Amino acid sequence: MKLLKLYSKNVLGAISGLDRIRFRGTIRWLANELGIRTFLSRSKILFKDFDKWAMARTAFITDSCTKQAAKLGIKIIYLRTGAIDKEKYVRKYADENNIKNGPICILSVVEPCISPKIIGNKETKKLEIHMITRKCKKFYLYFDDPEFGFGHVRMQTWLPMNIFINLNGRHWLEKQLIKNKIAFIKDRNSFPWIGDLDTAQKLLFDQLKTDWNSFLCNIALSLCPDLNNIFNPLKMDYYWSADDTEWATDVMFKSKVELDKLYPFLLEYGMKVSDSVSVLRYLGKSKITTSGKIRGVLPNEIMSDCRKRFEGIRLKHWVNSNSVKMYNKSNNLLRFETTITNTREFKVFRKPENDDTKPESWLKMRKGVADLYRRCQISQKSNNRYADAISAAKVKETLKEVSGSCCQRITKKGRKHRAINPWNIEDFKLLLFLTKGGISINGFRNSDIKFHLFGNTKKLLEKDKKYFSGKATRYIRLLRGHGLIRKVPKENRYVLTEKGRKFSTSLIYASNVDVEKLMDIAQ
């Protein structure tokens, strides 16, 4: 990560790993109308008897959870509404009852759910089964496990009996650090300081080696021990998937003062350079070029948003339902975080699910835990790309030191190069192009700079196309002459040099400072 190298004097180090992660357990046969109809047919359960049969399953689950609470010696607390902050409620309850480890309590609450219902069709005069939004009782078992920390498991007592398990990789890391006798300071779900960062990073990566199916089944059984007997004599296995994952990279600064000096510049720079194309590149959409050419399906939505949270100021970018964001928290932490909800936006190298005889190929990523490792790899790369693009905001020298040589006519290798005039319209657009987040990630080509300066030239006459292409080539030659860009070996692609990054960034900042502010600085 470039950012760590650039600010090595001010940074203690960084760790990357899972933050919040929400798992879902689904019985695939019962997850949709067709599956339920097939299941009922094979089980010889008539539609007219469905309600009675389903209520018996609900009673079975309720009884199992009630007995488990008595066995664990914890209370079942009924909540009148599901709108309260359950985690805050449970943590307060644990403090009041001095519960440090193990199961804390079970919450019982009626909340909306998706569940099958038998409905009569007036036209066909037949009963039909439909998945509709209803309300049912749900049980939440909250725990502070000595192995993987604070979390909860939630079970829906009505069909299709979905199970949700919420864990946090940082809470898990806390238990691992204690077990390995490593000193640390923890603030909510983050670590401002860890005594051994290398070991901490290894422990975070070790979390990904978990046998997720067995691990999650055991957590579910801690709430409902008779889970495997609900549909006796049939055995119905749960399919475990990751509904929502957050992968966070925490950069630990030596002090709050150091981060507070830098963060406003990173924030402002991030807002300026993160256009739609750059956001796509952060999340690994390499088929989108900096010139706006799209090879594939256009995203439904690309958004950016900056707002103040209780922890700090957060800058966030969305592509459809996936996102990457940056924010400051816990005084000295700079966090980059990628959240993946829609896995179908990405690919994994695997065999097709329905045919093991076929060779492995790049296929759409599944939500299933089988693809979780690849999902975390993609998230880490996204964090790195975003951090590298944002790190271009660093400029220590004065504006004169950075831009002086570029604003003068020079001769290099016998070729004369004119001065760059930042206040000339086309030269300013050129410098603006160099600050784009996508440029710092993958570089650019002649066509990219041509599109940015002159727009889409496809519909022009051939002679006009050649004119604009030649002009873009001359601009590239000018930038190379002043040492602002360099050519990638064996490719028709160019990347920013350190000088180019500083020059373009500093001038873009200077162009947005109002005169009154400059007068105040001068005084």
Side-chain angles (χ1 to χ4, degrees), residues 133 220 296 440:
T133 301
S440 61

Side-chain angles (χ1 to χ4, degrees), residues 249-515:
T249 298
D250 288 341
V251 181
M252 304 172 189
F253 279 76
K254 291 181 180 178
S255 69
K256 182 178 184 295
V257 175
E258 296 292 343
L259 179 58
D260 287 348
K261 283 181 183 177
L262 175 66
Y263 191 63
F265 294 100
L266 297 179
L267 198 64
E268 184 180 359
Y269 187 74
M271 288 188 289
K272 286 177 181 176
V273 303
S274 297
D275 58 5
S276 295
V277 173
S278 297
V279 172
L280 288 167
R281 287 190 179 278
Y282 300 154
L283 287 163
K285 302 297 180 182
S286 57
K287 289 185 178 180
I288 311 294
T289 69
T290 49
S291 62
K293 295 178 182 177
I294 300 168
R295 301 183 220 114
V297 181
L298 253 174
N300 295 327
E301 186 176 53
I302 302 173
M303 293 175 58
S304 291
D305 175 67
C306 182
R307 64 181 63 190
K308 191 171 184 179
R309 300 289 191 184
F310 72 95
E311 293 178 313
I313 301 175
R314 184 266 288 154
L315 178 60
K316 186 174 182 178
H317 316 280
W318 289 269
V319 177
N320 294 338
S321 53
N322 302 319
S323 67
V324 59
K325 62 185 175 183
M326 170 185 71
Y327 57 103
N328 59 332
K329 61 181 300 184
S330 302
N331 293 324
N332 70 320
L333 280 186
L334 175 62
R335 173 169 285 188
F336 298 93
E337 184 176 285
T338 296
T339 302
I340 295 181
T341 302
N342 182 7
T343 58
R344 309 301 281 180
E345 297 277 317
F346 306 98
K347 290 189 176 183
V348 60
F349 194 71
R350 61 175 175 87
K351 289 185 176 181
E353 277 186 290
N354 55 356
D355 192 350
D356 287 337
T357 62
K358 291 184 178 180
E360 292 182 332
S361 60
W362 286 104
L363 301 173
K364 287 186 176 181
M365 188 185 292
R366 302 161 292 188
K367 280 200 171 187
V369 292
D371 291 344
L372 183 57
Y373 189 86
R374 167 66 177 164
R375 187 170 176 172
C376 293
Q377 282 184 324
I378 290 172
S379 298
Q380 180 63 55
K381 289 178 181 178
S382 173
N383 285 353
N384 289 344
R385 282 189 291 264
Y386 188 39
D388 287 348
I390 297 299
S391 67
K394 180 182 178 184
V395 176
K396 285 188 175 180
E397 295 90 340
T398 65
L399 183 60
K400 182 180 178 181
E401 291 171 334
V402 170
S403 62
S405 63
C406 297
C407 296
Q408 295 178 10
R409 187 181 180 89
I410 64 168
T411 301
K412 187 175 182 181
K413 294 182 180 180
R415 182 187 290 271
K416 293 182 179 180
H417 300 280
R418 71 170 177 82
I420 296 177
N421 180 4
W423 315 126
N424 175 272
I425 295 176
E426 282 198 1
D427 282 9
F428 182 78
K429 284 181 70 176
L430 187 66
L431 295 174
L432 188 63
F433 171 74
L434 296 181
T435 63
K436 288 184 175 292
I439 298 300
S440 61
I441 298 169
N442 289 333
F444 65 93
R445 301 177 188 274
N446 181 294
S447 58
D448 300 327
I449 202 168
K450 182 172 65 174
F451 182 90
H452 177 79
L453 292 176
F454 314 117
N456 192 346
T457 60
K458 282 186 177 181
K459 296 181 180 180
L460 296 177
L461 296 173
E462 194 63 33
K463 63 175 184 178
D464 294 326
K465 289 182 183 179
K466 288 183 179 180
Y467 168 76
F468 286 116
S469 182
K471 199 166 184 180
T473 300
R474 289 191 290 276
Y475 272 122
I476 290 174
R477 189 183 300 133
L478 175 67
L479 294 173
R480 290 186 70 185
H482 283 283
L484 302 180
I485 63 173
R486 63 176 175 82
K487 188 177 183 296
V488 177
K490 299 180 181 179
E491 290 188 45
N492 290 320
R493 186 163 58 89
Y494 304 88
V495 293
L496 273 176
T497 61
E498 184 69 9
K499 180 180 179 182
R501 179 187 62 77
K502 290 180 179 180
F503 180 55
S504 57
T505 303
S506 60
L507 285 171
I508 294 302
Y509 273 125
S511 67
N512 286 278
V513 177
D514 60 70
V515 176

Side-chain angles (χ1 to χ4, degrees), residues 188-220:
R188 294 186 291 273
N189 68 329
S190 57
F191 295 87
W193 176 82
I194 297 177
D196 187 345
L197 283 172
D198 291 337
T199 303
Q201 184 59 75
K202 183 180 180 300
L203 292 172
L204 282 167
F205 285 149
D206 285 345
Q207 293 177 5
L208 303 181
K209 299 176 183 178
T210 303
D211 180 355
W212 293 110
N213 284 301
S214 300
F215 176 73
L216 296 169
C217 282
N218 288 334
I219 295 178

Side-chain angles (χ1 to χ4, degrees), residues 34-102:
L34 178 60
I36 294 176
R37 283 199 297 269
T38 305
F39 169 76
L40 294 178
S41 176
R42 293 194 179 185
S43 303
K44 297 181 180 179
I45 300 171
L46 300 176
F47 278 5
K48 67 176 183 177
D49 299 325
F50 174 77
D51 286 346
K52 183 179 178 181
W53 174 83
M55 290 305 294
R57 307 282 77 73
T58 296
F60 183 87
I61 291 173
T62 302
D63 183 60
S64 178
C65 293
T66 303
K67 289 179 179 178
Q68 179 69 351
K71 182 180 178 180
L72 296 173
I74 58 176
K75 288 185 177 182
I76 295 181
I77 303 172
Y78 176 73
L79 301 179
R80 298 179 66 88
T81 174
I84 69 169
D85 187 333
K86 297 179 184 65
E87 181 175 334
K88 185 177 180 181
Y89 178 90
V90 171
R91 286 189 179 277
K92 182 180 177 182
Y93 176 84
D95 290 339
E96 291 174 349
N97 292 273
N98 198 30
I99 301 173
K100 302 297 183 183
N101 280 302

